[in-house]
Amino acid sequence: MLRLLIGLFLLVVVVEGAIRKWFLPELSNAVFALKDVMLASAFAAFALSGQTRLPKSQAMVLWVAWVALAMAHAVIAGFSLQAIIGLRYYLAPLPLIVIIPALIRDPGDLDRLAPWAV
């Protein structure tokens, strides 16, 4: 189920611009929000699966520090709609840092995924 949700999320990411611009321009915000809902669903499925494998990387520490700094700035500067939307760009990829390494078990997974993604 987790692989399906992430696959759908990545598919929406790839075709989102075309959908929002040419196919459903009146639903642009809804299509944009659909990505967040799909990613949150995938993260919930990941959390409920009981996997505890977390990436061990200095880059993850830097990313979390950057998000904490962005959130602190948003609180200090006062919340506005633009600040909340901008903060979403920093927070949305965080679940991918945890989910993607759990989905890629060996180089064969990448060999199967790469042609599909291209």
Side-chain angles (χ1 to χ4, degrees):
M1 181 66 169
L2 180 59
R3 286 180 180 261
L4 175 66
L5 287 170
I6 289 297
L8 289 173
F9 169 76
L10 293 175
L11 181 66
V12 169
V13 166
V14 169
V15 298
E16 166 201 12
I19 291 172
R20 287 180 29 198
K21 185 172 183 173
W22 295 310
F23 298 115
L24 300 170
E26 66 277 358
L27 297 176
S28 178
N29 292 335
V31 172
F32 189 74
L34 177 66
K35 288 187 322 187
D36 294 336
V37 171
M38 292 174 73
L39 186 56
S41 300
F43 187 69
F46 173 79
L48 294 174
S49 71
Q51 297 184 29
T52 57
R53 188 176 138 197
L54 294 174
K56 295 174 180 79
S57 167
Q58 292 176 349
M60 186 170 171
V61 173
L62 290 173
W63 184 259
V64 171
W66 178 255
V67 169
L69 182 64
M71 288 174 43
H73 175 56
V75 168
I76 292 169
F79 277 108
S80 67
L81 183 59
Q82 291 84 6
I84 293 170
I85 292 170
L87 193 56
R88 176 238 167 254
Y89 285 106
Y90 292 109
L91 297 177
L94 285 178
L96 291 175
I97 293 173
V98 177
I99 295 171
I100 296 298
L103 290 178
I104 299 172
R105 297 183 199 115
D106 60 25
D109 286 344
L110 288 176
D111 290 340
R112 286 187 297 277
L113 178 64
W116 177 82
V118 171

